[in-house]
Amino acid sequence: VVLVDHKPGDGGFCVVPGSHKSNFKMPEGMVDGINFSEFIQQPATKAGDVVLFSEGTVHGAMGWTSDIQRRCALYRFAPATCGYGRSYFSADGVGGATASSCSWPSKFYDDLNDAQRAVLEPPYANRLDRPNICEDGSVEITQRSDRKRQHDKEVFKTKYF
């Protein structure tokens, strides 16, 4: 979601249209925009616009040249069965928004309540224990059935496979 206008030439989000269908390695020099710049587009957008694209699309950000500060909100979507990564979890396979278990700097957690910590949770599938924020602001942990959790433990030898 674009929060400030991005005029032509301002920089910011850029994309190579159609690249999600490509089976070719990115040409040398394209990654930093030195070569093949004619194929890299920086769409002009207005505050409130939404830009949707496949994660398989070659995309990035051009240097910001506008006098106003660049502001946008990034939302990622993925199927529930693949919307998580092991990198979010500590070596023991335990996830959750704590300074010791994921990559957020520990100071991010100073003075946060349970609901605020839940918002910082990484994306992951519904098969993992997940804190959910209730309407009253409290947090409730959603867990799968004991049978399903036992299955993962027996078959995959871990809480999360």
Side-chain angles (χ1 to χ4, degrees):
V1 178
V2 179
L3 302 178
V4 297
D5 293 351
H6 293 129
K7 298 175 186 160
D10 278 352
F13 177 77
C14 63
V15 64
V16 178
S19 58
H20 65 291
K21 298 276 195 167
S22 174
N23 287 331
F24 300 101
K25 183 179 176 184
M26 189 184 320
E28 201 166 312
M30 184 178 234
V31 72
D32 52 18
I34 293 172
N35 297 323
F36 307 103
S37 60
E38 66 271 22
F39 299 106
I40 303 170
Q41 294 183 13
Q42 180 253 311
T45 54
K46 296 284 188 185
D49 285 352
V50 175
V51 179
L52 299 173
F53 60 96
S54 162
E55 65 186 36
T57 304
V58 175
H59 65 282
M62 295 179 166
W64 189 248
T65 60
S66 175
D67 292 334
I68 61 170
Q69 190 173 30
R70 180 177 176 216
R71 293 286 184 198
C72 60
L74 175 64
Y75 295 91
R76 300 176 104 177
F77 298 92
T81 56
C82 65
Y84 70 96
R86 294 180 197 270
S87 62
Y88 289 112
F89 300 104
S90 59
D92 63 1
V94 177
T98 64
S100 62
S101 68
C102 66
S103 60
W104 293 107
S106 60
K107 67 181 179 179
F108 279 26
Y109 298 93
D110 292 350
D111 303 320
L112 294 182
N113 63 37
D114 288 342
Q116 292 166 327
R117 285 177 182 268
V119 171
L120 293 179
E121 284 284 317
Y124 48 83
N126 58 4
R127 65 180 304 106
L128 308 180
D129 301 340
R130 177 135 188 122
N132 293 294
I133 304 170
C134 302
E135 286 189 35
D136 66 0
S138 64
V139 174
E140 179 180 275
I141 302 294
T142 301
Q143 291 186 323
R144 295 175 307 124
S145 70
D146 290 338
R147 181 186 63 77
K148 289 182 178 181
R149 287 186 286 154
Q150 184 62 32
H151 170 81
D152 281 356
K153 188 174 183 180
E154 291 172 4
V155 173
F156 302 109
K157 309 293 188 238
T158 181
K159 182 176 180 178
Y160 304 124
F161 66 93

